[in-house]
Amino acid sequence: MVECHSLRCCGDMFAPPTTKLGFRHAVVPVGRWGGRRSGRLELSGLRPSLLRIQAALPGQESSPESAKRCCDSSAPGTSSYVLSTVGNSTNILWHECPVGKLERQKLLSQKGCVIWITGLSGSGKSTLACALSRELHYRGHLTYILDGDNVRHGLNRDLSFNGEDRAENIRRVGEVAKLFADAGLICIASLISPYKKERDACRAMLSDSSFIEVFLNIPLEVCEARDPKGLYKLARAGKIKGFTGVDDPYESPLDCEIVIQQNDGKCPTPKAMAEQIISFLDNNGFLQA
């Protein structure tokens, strides 16, 4: 609980007799507040309101530093809020919960992680993601798939396929995948994600070894022969610009956890590919809490 022992610690925010909020006196310095009689002004639980009042008064600071100064106390036994600025968000506070990742993992009997499947269009990423989810489900494990096309039907429907939006698409999926892993789920993300920088940025979002990069290393000629969505044909005809593998590069992973590729010119079955990943998960302790 944060307590101010005098109104002076909050500056002159209560000095004007009438504020633009429409009331005459913001606080009563002595008496009952929050159900306990005290000679001090109790601010526990009221700090957000005080910040709003401060922001409404002319000439008052509203920076994270001034907000912290407003109600910090050095008195023994008191606690202080530490507000942060992250990106374009200011005056935000991280709230901890007594139920954390370890408790959720114990409940699910598995360890949360992100399986990031990358490869060319037509390499079989979505097929592998579904096969892996099905096999893990049969074994009693909770998964969720973030498919590159599916997320553009909702979360990323506002993004195009230019370079900037493609990078933002990957960033958003990485952030959502991080939340799923924190929830204790095995999150399977299947996206082309052609650039190493963006994949590494998603890896850096997770604080431990729970980012598992899977390179579906299927040759371009095989992917183009499959062409399940007809996109290669459109790209070769010049109707799609910046298509990965045709007129835009794909940067192959150099140090990923799992590589899946052809054997003697034949692609492994979806079930065999899923088993290869499951074996990695089992050997590295992800399938038990």
Side-chain angles (χ1 to χ4, degrees):
M1 179 176 67
V2 180
E3 296 186 349
C4 286
H5 295 279
S6 74
L7 291 178
R8 287 177 297 175
C9 77
C10 295
D12 297 326
M13 80 166 95
F14 299 114
T18 303
T19 75
K20 62 170 75 172
L21 294 183
F23 50 81
R24 188 170 181 80
H25 296 291
V27 220
V28 177
V30 179
R32 295 185 65 84
W33 197 299
R36 185 166 69 90
R37 181 169 296 277
S38 172
R40 299 171 295 184
L41 173 62
E42 294 185 16
L43 300 181
S44 177
L46 298 176
R47 191 165 182 279
S49 300
L50 294 180
L51 293 178
R52 287 195 294 271
I53 294 170
Q54 185 185 28
L57 295 173
Q60 296 294 329
E61 293 181 293
S62 61
S63 68
E65 292 76 14
S66 64
K68 188 172 186 293
R69 287 198 304 269
C70 170
C71 292
D72 270 1
S73 172
S74 59
T78 63
S79 61
S80 61
Y81 293 90
V82 178
L83 300 182
S84 301
T85 296
V86 180
N88 293 325
S89 299
T90 59
N91 297 334
I92 57 176
L93 177 68
W94 183 269
H95 291 273
E96 291 291 346
C97 177
V99 178
K101 183 177 181 180
L102 292 177
E103 287 75 21
R104 292 187 286 270
Q105 290 182 153
K106 185 176 180 181
L107 181 67
L108 297 172
S109 298
Q110 63 186 42
K111 291 181 180 177
C113 63
V114 174
I115 301 172
W116 193 278
I117 304 174
T118 176
L120 292 169
S121 177
S123 60
K125 299 180 299 299
S126 297
T127 300
L128 171 56
C130 290
L132 177 59
S133 179
R134 182 174 59 248
E135 292 299 322
L136 287 169
H137 178 77
Y138 288 161
R139 302 177 191 213
H141 297 288
L142 187 59
T143 67
Y144 196 86
I145 297 174
L146 295 175
D147 181 83
D149 276 3
N150 289 359
V151 295
R152 284 182 175 272
H153 283 77
L155 175 68
N156 293 344
R157 65 188 303 173
D158 59 320
L159 301 178
S160 69
F161 284 92
N162 64 35
E164 183 179 349
D165 280 3
R166 291 184 76 181
E168 174 62 9
N169 179 64
I170 299 301
R171 188 196 68 81
R172 290 186 192 179
V173 172
E175 291 285 1
V176 174
K178 174 185 174 181
L179 294 176
F180 276 123
D182 186 63
L185 277 69
I186 298 173
C187 180
I188 306 167
S190 56
L191 305 95
I192 294 175
S193 44
Y195 302 121
K196 183 179 186 299
K197 178 181 178 181
E198 293 163 6
R199 297 193 301 266
D200 288 347
C202 292
R203 179 187 292 274
M205 292 178 188
L206 287 89
S207 59
D208 50 26
S209 59
S210 56
F211 186 92
I212 303 161
E213 189 173 17
V214 179
F215 177 28
L216 198 46
N217 186 16
I218 305 301
L220 174 62
E221 58 271 18
V222 174
C223 298
E224 191 166 357
R226 293 173 176 172
D227 201 10
K229 294 181 272 188
L231 299 179
Y232 283 101
K233 184 177 180 179
L234 293 174
R236 295 294 183 189
K239 296 180 180 180
I240 297 179
K241 300 296 184 182
F243 190 78
T244 302
V246 177
D247 57 348
D248 205 56
Y250 177 83
E251 298 174 358
S252 300
L254 301 177
D255 53 357
C256 60
E257 283 75 13
I258 301 173
V259 177
I260 297 176
Q261 56 192 358
Q262 292 180 316
N263 295 316
D264 296 327
K266 296 182 179 179
C267 294
T269 66
K271 182 178 177 62
M273 293 189 290
E275 290 292 347
Q276 183 176 341
I277 298 174
I278 290 173
S279 178
F280 178 91
L281 295 175
D282 195 22
N283 293 337
N284 287 273
F286 287 101
L287 302 185
Q288 55 272 338

